[in-house]
Structure formats: C-alpha cells, structure tokens
Amino acid sequence: MTTLPLLPNFLAGRWQTGAGNGTTLLDPVLGTSLVRVSNTGLDLAEGFAFAREQGGDALRALTYKQRAGLLSEIVKVLQANRDAYYEIATANCGTVTKDSAVDIDGGIFTLGYYAKQGEALGDATCLLDGERIRMGKDPVFQTQHVLNPTRGVALFINAFNFPSWGLWEKAAPALLSGVPVIVKPATATAWLTQRMVQDVVDAGILPAGALSVICGSSAGLMDQLQPFDVVSFTGSAETARIIRSHPAVAERSVRCNIEADSLNSALLDPAATEGSEAFNLLVAEVAREMTGKSGQKCTAIRRILVPRAVFDAAAQAIGTKLAKTTVGNPRNEAARMGSLVSREQFDSVTAGIAHLQTEAETLFDGRSATLVDADPTVAACVAPVLLGHRQPAQAKVLHEVEVFGPVATLMAYDDEAQAYALIRRGEGSLVASVYSTDPTFMARAALALADSHGRVHMISPDVAASQTGHGNVMPMSLHGGPGRAGGGEELGGMRALGFYHRRSAVQASSAALDALAVSGTTLKY
C-alpha cells in the first residue's frame, strides 16, 4: 500500500513535517486521495519570532525598488512552473482550465503589477504621506506624516476558492512594504499554495523568514500575534467574528482585515427592454458569473435586479445560456464547468439551494443533466440553478443567505428607488454591477450604491469589449466591502501598502524634515 505524501510546512526558515496522519486532500471529481497535510507539533512561537525578527529585519533593510525586484524574480519562478500549478488545480480544486487561469495567472499578474509599482518608488526606505503642514505662523516648525513598514509579521488565513491569487494578492503588497508573510491556506485546497511557496523558497529569492507556509489546522495561530503584527482573513462571517473577538485583536490591537460573505448584485437600467444592449449585457454577465469557478467567488453575482416588465424575458434568456453549460470532469474538454472543492461543500450548497427555495421559485435547474465523465454519487459537481422572486421586498432569506456555488436569484423591481433599497438589503457587499446605455443613470446609480459596496462596476455597450468583469478583482482597484462583506480593504493600487505601514506625524524643523525626505518618497495613489 502506497503512503500518501505528507506536504512539509516551511517555518522558522526550514522545511518541517507535521506529526500524525494529518488531513488527506481529495480530488473533488474523482474522490481519490492526493496528498496529506499536518502542522501538528510545530513550534509556532519559534516560527513567528523567526519571521518577525529575521525576515522582517532583512526585508526592511532593502529599499522599495529592491523589494520590487524580489517580486519580479518570484514572477519568473511562478511562470516557469505554471504547468505544474494547472495540474494541481485540476486535481485538487476541480476547476476547468479557464477557471484555473483566473486563480493562477491572476495571482502572477498581481505580483507583476506590484513589482512595477514598487520599482517606481525607487530607493526610498519610507513613504511620505502628503505635504508638510505648518504648525504655526512661523514656517520653520512643520509636520510631515510618514509611513514606515510595521515591525511585525503578516498572517494570512485564506479561503479555499483561490489558493494562488488569495496568497499573492496579499503577499505582493506585504513583501513590497517590507513585512514578512506567514500564510495558512484553507486545508481543502492547500496543495497549490504549498507548491508555489516551495518553488519560491527553493529558488532562494527571498531572505530567510520572509515567506512561510503552514498547512492544516489554524489552531494556535492567532495566539502568536503581537501588537505590531497584522492578520488578513478571507472566509465565513462566523469565523470572522471569532477572529475579531480574539485577544490579539480585541486586547493587543493587532490590525485586522476581513473579507467575508457578500450578496453581490447586478442591476439592469429601469429603461431597458427585452433584447436591448443593456439587457443582453446583463444576461451574458450573469451567466458567466454564475458558472465561473462553479460560482465559488466572493464577488459572484447572487441577486439580479431587473424591471418587472422584463422579469420573465430575463429568466428565459439567462436560463437558455445556463443550459449550454456542461458540468463535470475538468480533464474532459467537453466540460465547461468543473466541480465544487469538496463533497462537504457540495452538501452545503445543495442544502443552501433548498433553503433559498423556501422563498423563491425555481426558474432554471440544470442539476438533472448528465455530468460529463463524472459519477454524481462521488463528484462534488453542482449544475447552475437560477431562482426568482417577483416581490423581493417581501423576502428575507434571499437578502441574508449567500450560497457559495452556481446559484443566483432574479428579482423584479418597480422603480429606481426600490431597486437601490433592495440591493442595500444585502447590508454591505463587495461589488454591484450596473447595466445601462445611459451615462446619467449610471452616475446616479454609482452614487446611490458606492457607500454600501467596495466596488461599483458599470457595464455599457462602449466598454463591453474592454470591461474586466463583474467578479474579476483587478490589483489597481479596491477589493473589499462594508458591513456583511467584512469591512476590509485590499488592493486598490498603492493603497494596499497602507495596511502594512504605520502612519506617524513627525513634527520638526524644516531642516530636519529636509533630511528626513532624503530617505523617503511621496506616496502617490
């Protein structure tokens, strides 16, 4: 009997294998065992101290331009190993090639973006935040706000849906800032994260302690955090509440960034008619968002708001597109959509759909179709399901429960004000998209929705070919959202560096501030 390999963790500057049998990672389509992970017995205190002291000191000794150069070298290593990453994603994540690309190539692209942005910062070792401000009538005494890298470690507790992008979209600005990274990937899909870290470590690019990976349980990780550390979490609102209430955050003021549940919306212009350009753009984007990554995106469309007059037409058009989506084994080119990440997630999504159906009618259900090259009793495959509600103001569950799979709910609205009110029932989301040919309406919608969304994505015919997609998170734009979505902020170009720096007001003479400016460069967003 062949023993499954136990993936090593990289902590305290060395590879370490956890004790015990660990947790077995599975192929979510075939049900076969792949590898095991465990961090039992690791000395977490040693690992965090090593990263904080050795890794942090070494990174902060470099300039922003030098750290940007390290990111560029990481990009080269990851590009050279892309084929291996796609194989792992197929086996462990159950994703078809185009969905794997969003994760793998998206992560590499984000690294490259921050490498270029960091190079432009030059040989500075601190950032100047804004202009000097006089402290009185005499200009000799002024204040200059500065941003210095925090003298701590960045702990990332990541979600299962993006094992590549979820790491690098956080690690890129952290490493560029001069802050060492410890990543704890979600166990179900940890293999890809571990392999990427392994390739970077083996290439000898980063200083010892700058990048660590711990696979398996998250127990004890938060206990290691100290006042100048930061923690970034992506996952459920329930786990987010535990993190926020942990003494590290509640008592030691560890900086915390959360990205949690989000009931994202798509809104069709009230003036749109069946078959119009705006109508067709919405239909295409909804179908793409429901099926991309099998609906396992924090930014996926969950609620679709359309004028009451086109409700039935929209249901028919979206259902027709969804019916063309073949679901099954990603190794088979006939499959256009793969599986969920695990059978456990399959059960959760199936139960979630049933829960939503207590309030909504079923407009399209693709689950009766035969899977492509996959056993429905084994594979974690769920076909797209479109639900609907003609009086969504009367609904409750549909505005409160996010089902993390290929399911969305079509909702009818009667006027613009009602549409905005229904969208706000989500209590804060990552993104809302608006479909229209009227710039005035789009501007009005943007202002109405911006306060409750991290991003408002406007799609009109003139940008149809160039728009980046409702659910695609681009490094130059903000990612995060208020309220239910977690209240966090990531990316946003150079804004991302703020989370890993500490702002301080230096009050001094003009001469002293002139000397200080030699070490810094003005941060430009």
Side-chain angles (χ1 to χ4, degrees), residues 499-523:
F499 184 65
Y500 304 100
H501 286 72
R502 298 288 169 171
R503 181 181 287 106
S504 180
V506 179
Q507 301 169 337
S509 68
S510 297
L513 294 180
D514 287 343
L516 173 68
V518 173
S519 301
T521 186
T522 301
L523 180 62

Side-chain angles (χ1 to χ4, degrees), residues 23-43:
T23 301
T24 299
L25 308 192
L26 303 175
D27 183 316
V29 175
L30 304 179
T32 52
S33 300
L34 300 170
V35 295
R36 295 178 296 129
V37 296
S38 172
N39 57 42
T40 301
L42 297 189
D43 189 335

Side-chain angles (χ1 to χ4, degrees), residues 70-407:
L70 298 180
L71 298 187
S72 294
E73 292 303 309
I74 293 175
V75 168
K76 293 176 184 177
V77 169
L78 299 181
Q79 287 282 15
N81 290 280
R82 281 177 71 251
D83 289 347
Y85 304 148
Y86 273 85
E87 290 178 7
I88 292 172
T90 298
N92 189 201
C93 304
T95 46
V96 294
T97 300
K98 65 179 177 64
D99 289 341
S100 297
V102 174
D103 185 24
I104 296 167
D105 294 333
I108 296 172
F109 173 80
T110 301
L111 270 168
Y113 172 84
Y114 278 100
K116 291 179 181 178
Q117 296 297 307
E119 185 178 13
L121 294 176
D123 293 323
T125 55
C126 74
L127 300 175
L128 307 180
D129 183 23
E131 302 297 324
R132 299 180 192 178
I133 305 170
R134 288 189 184 187
M135 300 291 285
K137 290 184 179 181
D138 190 337
V140 72
F141 189 61
Q142 301 184 24
T143 186
Q144 170 69 64
H145 290 89
V146 299
L147 292 165
N148 274 1
T150 188
R151 291 179 180 269
V153 67
L155 170 64
F156 302 150
I157 302 175
N158 284 351
F160 61 72
N161 54 335
F162 284 101
S164 166
W165 179 83
L167 164 61
W168 299 117
E169 65 99 7
K170 295 180 176 74
L175 294 172
L176 178 59
S177 297
V179 179
V181 167
I182 296 177
V183 59
K184 208 302 286 186
T187 299
T189 56
W191 190 8
L192 179 54
T193 304
Q194 192 273 350
R195 172 59 189 270
M196 287 182 146
V197 172
Q198 178 179 323
D199 289 341
V200 172
V201 168
D202 289 350
I205 296 170
L206 296 170
L211 179 62
S212 305
V213 61
I214 301 174
C215 299
S217 172
S218 61
L221 293 178
M222 291 291 296
D223 297 334
Q224 307 305 320
L225 296 178
Q226 297 182 5
F228 297 110
D229 296 332
V230 301
V231 58
S232 184
F233 168 75
T234 302
S236 72
E238 180 180 358
T239 304
R241 284 191 290 271
I242 295 173
I243 288 176
R244 284 196 178 97
S245 63
H246 191 279
V249 177
E251 298 173 14
R252 299 194 288 276
S253 299
V254 166
R255 186 175 287 173
C256 178
N257 187 80
I258 299 290
E259 192 230 292
D261 304 345
S262 182
L263 287 161
N264 312 298
S265 302
L267 172 63
L268 181 62
D269 187 330
T273 56
E274 178 183 355
S276 65
E277 289 182 292
F279 179 94
N280 292 337
L281 287 170
L282 174 130
V283 168
E285 195 73 8
V286 166
R288 182 162 47 245
E289 281 296 308
M290 287 182 66
T291 57
K293 292 282 288 185
S294 299
Q296 297 172 116
K297 292 196 299 183
C298 302
T299 52
I301 293 171
R302 306 299 181 192
R303 297 176 299 158
I304 310 150
L305 283 294
V306 300
R308 185 172 302 281
V310 300
F311 180 90
D312 290 323
Q316 178 64 37
I318 295 169
T320 298
K321 279 193 172 292
L322 294 177
K324 298 176 182 178
T325 302
T326 50
V327 183
N329 192 334
R331 299 168 182 83
N332 191 316
E333 293 183 0
R336 308 292 295 180
M337 187 176 101
S339 72
L340 303 175
V341 298
S342 66
R343 196 68 187 184
E344 179 183 14
Q345 188 64 14
F346 172 91
D347 293 339
S348 175
V349 168
T350 301
I353 292 172
H355 190 31
L356 297 183
Q357 286 174 323
T358 62
E359 282 192 345
E361 61 179 304
T362 302
L363 302 175
F364 173 84
D365 192 339
R367 291 178 292 176
S368 60
T370 301
L371 297 179
V372 175
D373 196 18
D375 182 348
T377 65
V378 175
C381 295
V382 175
V385 175
L386 178 68
L387 305 176
H389 203 300
R390 298 171 191 272
Q391 300 294 337
Q394 300 173 9
K396 182 175 184 291
V397 173
L398 299 178
H399 302 297
E400 295 179 349
V401 176
E402 181 194 18
V403 177
F404 208 65
V407 56

